Amino acid sequence: MSLQFSRIIGTGSYLPPTVVSNDELAARLAKDGIETSDEWIVSRTGIRQRHLVADGVQTSDLATAAAQRALAAANKTPHDTALLIVATSTPDFIFPSTACTVQAKLGNQGAAAFDVQAVCSGFVYALTTADSFVRAGRARCALVIGAEVFSRILDWRDRGTCVLFGDGAGAVVLEASEQPGIQAAQLHADGSLTNILCVPGNVAHGQVTGDPFLRMDGQAVFKQAVSVLEKSARETVAQAGLTIDQIDWLIPHQANLRILSFLAKKLGCSMDKVVVTVDQHANTSAASVPLALDLAYRDGRIKPGHEVLMQGVGGGFTWGSVVARM
Ligand code: ACO
């Protein structure tokens, strides 16, 4: 029996319990003399609220909870997995990788474990990597997680960025299969655009050097995101031997409702086919796509056999798409 594909056999997610509405955030920022409003945030981004972690909660905690739910949905134990990839830009430590910490918390010592750093494209990068491992016969079953505590790298004095992000995690279990599965995947980067979205700081000689907060040229990111997502969607769907009309669900990275609407319009796709979570979760970077996938799978919108197009875009500049039959 040849197992030439990998297939998503379980999804899971976790959001920290503290929900902060735009009004609550505006009231907090006002104490520091920073003005914003629910009206501004909703009209420019579609975001209404975000989940934020409590002090002491780490990316690995969110990732572990999401992974446990995905494993339960797949009817697998941690010991069934031979590969664990965590996509994150907010790791617990410089090293070891967050994947190693998650592995210790799950208790599946021995499985390969590493992080992928592709910012908001991280989950699509990690899923494509895991798919390659599974199809090459290097792992029969893999855990792929996107997890972030972006609230830790936000400059809460910069209203242009701090209102946009939230914390959370999503995960999938992939398994070798005779049937697709992941049908097509495409990854890209343009390193000449590092400056439009970055955290330009590092730790050296015991000190933080540079600027340890997220910085963004919002309009440049907007233009870049819409253009690369459309091209990548068309190419990856064609690579899967499908047309855009045959895609049941579009799950783009949840950065901004305006980006999602623009993309849907350019692709000629109804917003009814786009899974939207940015209103509830804000932008959770590498966690946004698996969080949206899990939500729509569990509420019954995504059904077995549906064709799902997942897309990441973000810092690097990076982008990519995966077409998966559920
Ligand atoms: N509340 C009130 N006013 C604000 C806020 C805020 N939170 N933030 C900015 N403003 C003000 C600015 O100070 C500026 O005021 P001024 O005209 O008096 O100088 C005005 O609003 C316009 O500011 P811009 O930055 O030009 O706002 P813009 O219309 O570009 O909207 C936004 C900003 C929403 C970020 C937009 O550029 C955008 O959608 N960009 C896409 C990028 C994105 O979504 N990034 C998320 C992360 S990236 C990713 O995940 C791929």
Side-chain angles (χ1 to χ4, degrees), residues 32-33 73 161 168 179 209 251 309:
D32 294 322
T161 55
Q179 306 295 330
T209 59
I251 308 187
L309 171 62

Side-chain angles (χ1 to χ4, degrees), residues 16-30 36-42 45-52 156 162-166 278-282:
T18 303
V19 178
V20 178
S21 70
N22 289 344
D23 282 333
E24 285 167 306
L25 185 60
R28 281 189 202 181
L29 296 178
T36 189
S37 64
D38 177 59
E39 194 278 328
W40 193 96
I41 301 170
V42 173
T45 72
I47 296 166
R48 295 183 181 276
Q49 61 173 45
R50 72 282 296 137
H51 291 246
L52 298 179
W156 293 99
C162 74
V163 302
L164 303 176
F165 296 89
V278 67
D279 54 335
Q280 300 299 306
H281 303 167

Side-chain angles (χ1 to χ4, degrees), residues 90-111:
T90 47
D92 291 13
F93 305 112
I94 290 176
F95 74 78
S97 68
T98 303
C100 284
T101 308
V102 172
Q103 192 215 55
K105 289 179 180 177
L106 290 173
N108 59 330
Q109 281 85 341

Side-chain angles (χ1 to χ4, degrees), residues 35-37 40-41 44-45 120 159-160 163-165 197 216 218-219 221-222 253 255-256 258-259 283 313-314 317:
E35 223 180 284
T36 189
S37 64
W40 193 96
I41 301 170
R44 303 288 174 119
T45 72
C120 305
R159 67 180 180 171
V163 302
L164 303 176
F165 296 89
L197 182 56
M216 179 179 75
Q219 284 170 18
V221 168
F222 192 101
H253 167 52
N256 182 315
R258 288 196 304 167
I259 294 180
N283 180 347
V313 62
F317 208 73

Side-chain angles (χ1 to χ4, degrees), residues 51-101:
H51 291 246
L52 298 179
V53 288
D55 286 347
V57 176
Q58 301 277 29
T59 294
S60 64
D61 298 315
L62 309 186
T64 304
Q68 283 164 337
R69 290 175 182 181
L71 286 166
N75 206 14
K76 296 280 181 191
T77 72
H79 301 285
D80 295 323
T81 59
L83 172 67
L84 192 167
I85 308 179
V86 175
T88 188
S89 301
T90 47
D92 291 13
F93 305 112
I94 290 176
F95 74 78
S97 68
T98 303
C100 284
T101 308

Side-chain angles (χ1 to χ4, degrees), residues 76-186:
K76 296 280 181 191
T77 72
H79 301 285
D80 295 323
T81 59
L83 172 67
L84 192 167
I85 308 179
V86 175
T88 188
S89 301
T90 47
D92 291 13
F93 305 112
I94 290 176
F95 74 78
S97 68
T98 303
C100 284
T101 308
V102 172
Q103 192 215 55
K105 289 179 180 177
L106 290 173
N108 59 330
Q109 281 85 341
F114 59 91
D115 289 359
V116 161
Q117 221 292 31
V119 201
C120 305
S121 309
F123 179 76
V124 166
Y125 265 69
L127 186 59
T128 303
T129 305
D131 172 56
S132 305
F133 269 71
V134 173
R135 281 193 296 112
R138 297 217 156 84
R140 197 188 150 84
C141 188
L143 251 176
V144 185
I145 307 168
E148 303 279 14
V149 289
F150 252 55
S151 57
R152 301 254 164 83
I153 53 167
L154 297 177
D155 178 354
W156 293 99
R157 295 156 304 169
D158 175 9
R159 67 180 180 171
T161 55
C162 74
V163 302
L164 303 176
F165 296 89
D167 303 327
V172 300
V173 179
L174 269 192
E175 190 173 51
S177 159
E178 284 176 89
Q179 306 295 330
I182 292 185
Q183 311 204 58
Q186 201 194 61

